[in-house]
Amino acid sequence: MNQNKFYVTTPIYYVNDKPHIGHAYTTVLADVLARYHRSLKVPTFFLTGTDEHGQKVEKAAAARGIPPQQHCDETVVRFQQLWEKLGITNDKFIRTTQPEHKAVVREILQELYDRGEIYRAEYTGWYCVGCERFFTEKDLVDGNCPECGRGVSAIQESNYFFRMSKYQDWLIQYIDSHPDFIQPAFRANETLGFLRRELGDLCISRPKARLAWGIELPFDPDYVCYVWFDALINYISAVGYRRNDEEFRRWWPASYHLIGKDILTTHTVYWPTMLKAMNLPLPETIFAHGWWLTGREKMSKTLGNVVDPLAMAEKYGVDAFRYFLLAEMSPGQDASFSEEAFVTRYNSDLANDLGNLLSRVLKMTLRNGGVVPFPGALQPEDEELNTAVLTAVAAMEQALKVMKLDQGLGAVLTAVRAANRYLEKTAPWTLAKKGETERLGTVLYTAAEALRKFAVLLEPVMPEKMATLASALGADGTASRIAELGTAGNVLSGKSVREVGSLFPRVQLEESVAPAPAAAPAPAPAAPAPAATAELITIEDFSKVQLRVARVLTAERIEGADKLLRLTIELGAGEIRQLVAGVAQYYRPEEMVGRSIVVVGNLKPARIRGVDSQGMLLAARSGKELRLITVDGDVAPGATVG
Ligand code: MSP
């Protein structure tokens, strides 16, 4: 990839669609890539926009009884407002009805016509209104559209054609020799599969008698341009093609065209051959992501399972929504959306791991003067955390290069958890009590600096929250670019921290969207009988006990009960419970928070010293010692043990 500039595009969305999670995903992904590149100091141009011509728009306008342009002007704001709400930092929003775009399309058409790349011929075939595409008899699947499965109409008319077929061999060779051109690689194979069949010429006109809403062909006023031919050109008309050579040379070829997998052929066959005919270089990478599904089903208006991005952002916050989209989908693969998965990820990654880390660091620093201390000599555990953080920086940089943002975010969260464990190990609260000021200073500085770096790494994904995090640490205005993370030196010591409230307050799944409750809990295991036979149990006996991993969210002492702690724990899928545990003499409340423990999940609820307890944690006792049973490595809450 050209490292001197970064030009990223989204598809231009059909203006009459209501924006849904698929649109939001591509646009947030492009935004995050753009922000990361700006953060890496790479000159960046980010383009999105709307596709406003064609039969669908014409029909939608007719149904409303208004002119198509008015319909477009009224509906385009849905996208513009959503992008504003989602914090999208596009450098340009192109609309294909803008005069500048239309003029460039007409010039291209005229030039290709003059050079004989476009010719007129009689056409007979099949047409899919939904896809706005022509098919031959042998393309059809069971008589229906091979792309969407809907019915097609027979069509016979005189039309204009682009000589796409003559570029077939060249394109095959180009794809074969440019492994980065179509990503992921299996999508390149899909295109090559398509190119194994004979490639026809592309019908690029529509007679006005049938469709008037389009760009008029400069060489025949009875026709308008095919919507895809017009739409694809947006990627070059937006950056000065035929208008501003300097600008055009600066940005073209695009670094990434991000698209959904359903528009692969138009982008990897039509577009490259069009560019070739125009003697222009091809985009560096066309990246096709997968689909967001509801459960395992395709989202569709008829099924009523389409996720509204605006509603999600309003309910849970823009940054959390952006984070979920990127952390949950492995680009290239399909991903399943459920509010339950959203709440679980939010609570575990954001509320518990990241939010909790910030609140611990702030609390301890405020209790010790409110200023980030200067570090003393580093000890191995400090170095270990620093290494974990640098590993996350490198992983994120690598993830960006190979478009695996979910893995980059995973690496950052692993480092966040390492920072929480670091606080448990170094126990700054004990250092404070013992008056070990220098060591306390080193620990608080190391943890705060790790947090600052996390904020820089996560800023492109959660810009507002990370700005709040940085300002809580007194780090606003300091080095905030990934490119500077390795060289910034100590920017925090001496800075005053400030309380910012809960960064990610925990959320709970509303009952209306919660999954059906699990079957009634099995009865608690009978108390062991003293007889020798009771020492051996069958596997069935054992399986009655449901052991599960839980994460401790809060812990506090119970007044008047010096052995007990009241814990809130998370058991996965948004399930939160209260537990009373007899561990107060062995663990301080703050030492419990963030741990992954093992609990009996199906114990009959009990009331202990007036406090309800829904389960029991497991611990090993040896003489006067008691140690919690914890889980080795990162295991999600709710996982079964056994
Ligand atoms: N107007 C054309 C694109 C022209 S680009 C020169 C178009 N528009 S669209 O609004 O129908 O679709 C835009 C994008 O949304 C496509 O990339 C499509 O893959 C994507 N998605 C539609 N449903 C989706 C999901 N359920 N999940 C993820 N993306 C999906 O096609």
Side-chain angles (χ1 to χ4, degrees), residues 585-586 620-627:
Q585 289 173 316
Y586 310 95
R621 187 185 288 277
S622 162
K624 282 190 173 167
E625 262 296 294
L626 180 135
R627 298 277 86 188

Side-chain angles (χ1 to χ4, degrees), residues 611-630:
V611 181
D612 287 331
S613 182
Q614 303 154 312
M616 178 179 104
L617 62 69
L618 298 191
R621 187 185 288 277
S622 162
K624 282 190 173 167
E625 262 296 294
L626 180 135
R627 298 277 86 188
L628 289 171
I629 307 287
T630 55

Side-chain angles (χ1 to χ4, degrees), residues 215-249:
I215 300 175
E216 187 178 281
L217 296 189
F219 42 83
D220 191 337
D222 290 339
Y223 288 83
V224 296
C225 178
Y226 169 43
V227 67
W228 268 104
F229 198 88
D230 151 12
L232 287 160
I233 289 173
N234 93 88
Y235 298 135
I236 51 175
S237 71
V239 287
Y241 181 56
R242 285 177 172 268
R243 292 293 176 274
N244 182 338
D245 279 354
E246 198 189 327
E247 188 196 5
F248 185 61
R249 259 183 278 116

